[in-house]
Amino acid sequence: MNGMASDNTSSQEEYLPHYLQKEDPFASKLSREADIVAGFYLTVIGILSTLGNGYVIFMSSKRKKKLRPAEIMTVNLAVCDLGISVVGKPFSIISFFSHRWVFGWMGCRWYGWAGFFFGCGSLITMTAVSLDRYLKICHLSYGTWLKRHHAFICLAIIWAYATFWATVPFAGVGSYAPEPFGTSCTLDWWLAQASVAGQAFILSILFFCLLFPTAVIVFSYVKIILKVKSSTKEVAHYDTRIQNSHILEMKLTKVAMLICAGFLIAWIPYAVVSVWSAFGQQDSVPIQFSVVPTLLAKSAAMYNPIIYQVIDCKFACCRSSGLKTLQKKSSLKRSRMYTISAHRDSTAMNETQLEV
């Protein structure tokens, strides 16, 4: 046992991460053509994300006093995505076109911190949204208790949580380092290969910034789906005001579910590759393979405004068609009343003439 432990310790001490094995860790390991393609891809993603999230924030600012708690969280999500696009995307775009990371170690650490900060903020925001939806749909007594000021308190907690976990690496327990392909930076997942302390740090990040929030999101929406299936028939018996409120809550829930699904689909491949880099065989992930999940994860900020607008337009169409139906019903009702009253008037006149 002691021999095995000493072998493990010696292998950890001998391990050198990829960025220490090369004289220039920031030189691109991809072909120049691949870097140009990736640069154009990120440029398109960055422009669409900036315009889309900027539009969501602008439109929300026009009705900021009428925003519901779930909508406030959606705006915060747009702020996180806009932060990733404005603060992070230019660094990686310039580096891909330059065929190397051109901002040095300070720029690498800043880029890694910003990406992790806004990414963590996005995931924790979606966790809060899923809990809000869960309480509003499954526990109405608690859901009605949640007001706007609770949403703002929740925002403060989200930003503090993201700041803490993104800044912890600077306290000496972790770090930010260049990706294996050289033109981007991320959390130093390779610390887990070097020491037990590094493994503890990476496991903490995985649990508190990925696994636990994802579990809460999945739990919330599974419970919501089960509740909706059992309560759809009950809502049909309520009056129009309660039905309209239910439709609005379900619209917000659909937005939240699709946004969470888009985020997780974009980030899970990157998380799997990162975990494999941390705990799998040393340098077992091919460099050309590692760049694809990274680029997919960077596209997550683009999906949210598209999902929000599509659902919003669909809801507006349903609302307008419903309004037209109500108008038709009221029009038919008025014409029916007019016909009845006219018939009564003519009957009364005939009776009068007979009496005369």
Side-chain angles (χ1 to χ4, degrees):
M1 290 292 290
N2 292 334
M4 291 176 63
S6 61
D7 289 343
N8 187 34
T9 304
S10 62
S11 64
Q12 287 182 343
E13 289 176 354
E14 292 171 0
Y15 173 74
L16 282 177
H18 63 88
Y19 53 85
L20 295 179
Q21 295 174 6
K22 308 288 184 181
E23 292 184 3
D24 186 2
F26 299 124
S28 177
K29 312 304 185 296
L30 305 174
S31 66
R32 187 171 292 276
E33 292 76 14
D35 277 335
I36 291 174
V37 170
F40 275 115
Y41 167 81
L42 289 180
T43 301
V44 173
I45 294 295
I47 291 172
L48 292 177
S49 175
T50 301
L51 293 176
N53 289 292
Y55 177 77
V56 170
I57 295 170
F58 173 72
M59 295 303 293
S60 300
S61 66
K62 288 187 171 182
R63 49 186 295 270
K64 56 186 176 182
K65 293 183 179 179
K66 297 181 180 180
L67 292 176
R68 301 161 71 89
E71 292 174 309
I72 293 172
M73 293 297 173
T74 303
V75 174
N76 189 63
L77 189 60
V79 171
C80 291
D81 292 339
L82 186 64
I84 292 174
S85 301
V86 173
V87 175
K89 290 287 193 302
F91 285 81
S92 53
I93 291 170
I94 293 171
S95 295
F96 273 114
F97 282 127
S98 301
H99 196 50
R100 62 173 290 108
W101 180 262
V102 296
F103 302 99
W105 277 104
M106 287 296 293
C108 181
R109 293 187 180 100
W110 159 251
Y111 178 84
W113 180 91
F116 188 38
F117 172 72
F118 288 116
C120 182
S122 294
L123 184 57
I124 303 304
T125 299
M126 285 186 285
T127 306
V129 170
S130 69
L131 285 174
D132 173 78
R133 298 292 85 213
Y134 170 70
L135 292 174
K136 286 284 176 66
I137 303 297
C138 300
H139 299 282
L140 194 58
S141 58
Y142 291 104
T144 54
W145 176 77
L146 294 172
K147 303 299 180 185
R148 281 170 57 91
H149 67 276
H150 295 117
F152 290 115
I153 293 172
C154 190
L155 290 184
I157 295 172
I158 290 169
W159 288 109
Y161 192 91
T163 301
F164 172 78
W165 284 108
T167 310
V168 160
F170 293 130
V173 295
S175 183
Y176 295 100
E179 299 267 16
F181 51 88
T183 47
S184 181
C185 293
T186 185
L187 192 71
D188 193 348
W189 300 98
W190 302 271
L191 286 173
Q193 297 278 2
S195 66
V196 175
Q199 291 177 0
F201 167 70
I202 296 299
L203 287 172
S204 299
I205 290 289
L206 284 173
F207 179 78
F208 289 104
C209 300
L210 179 63
L211 297 178
F212 178 69
T214 303
V216 173
I217 290 170
V218 172
F219 168 82
S220 298
Y221 289 124
V222 167
K223 297 292 287 185
I224 287 170
I225 291 170
L226 295 175
K227 181 68 176 179
V228 168
K229 283 186 176 180
S230 64
S231 64
T232 302
K233 293 181 180 179
E234 298 176 7
V235 175
H237 299 294
Y238 295 151
D239 59 33
T240 306
R241 184 177 61 83
I242 295 176
Q243 288 182 11
N244 290 339
S245 176
H246 179 74
I247 290 171
L248 179 58
E249 293 296 343
M250 290 312 302
K251 174 240 176 180
L252 294 173
T253 303
K254 287 179 182 178
V255 171
M257 288 178 69
L258 288 173
I259 286 175
C260 290
F263 184 89
L264 293 176
I265 289 170
W267 278 96
I268 282 177
Y270 179 76
V272 170
V273 171
S274 298
V275 171
W276 184 258
S277 299
F279 298 102
Q281 294 294 321
Q282 297 178 10
D283 304 324
S284 59
V285 179
I287 292 176
Q288 290 76 10
F289 179 75
S290 67
V291 72
V292 176
T294 303
L295 294 177
L296 179 62
K298 292 180 187 297
S299 69
M302 180 186 68
Y303 306 144
N304 300 341
I306 295 174
I307 293 169
Y308 187 80
Q309 291 305 315
V310 167
I311 296 292
D312 201 42
C313 290
K314 183 179 177 183
F315 176 72
C317 291
C318 294
R319 187 170 51 190
S320 63
S321 64
L323 183 60
K324 287 179 182 177
T325 304
L326 286 174
Q327 287 174 346
K328 285 181 181 178
K329 285 183 179 179
S330 61
S331 164
L332 286 171
K333 191 184 246 183
R334 282 197 299 269
S335 64
R336 196 180 305 146
M337 290 177 65
Y338 176 75
T339 304
I340 293 170
S341 62
H343 177 71
R344 286 177 178 171
D345 291 342
S346 63
T347 304
M349 288 177 65
N350 291 335
E351 290 176 354
T352 304
Q353 289 175 356
L354 286 171
E355 287 175 0
V356 173

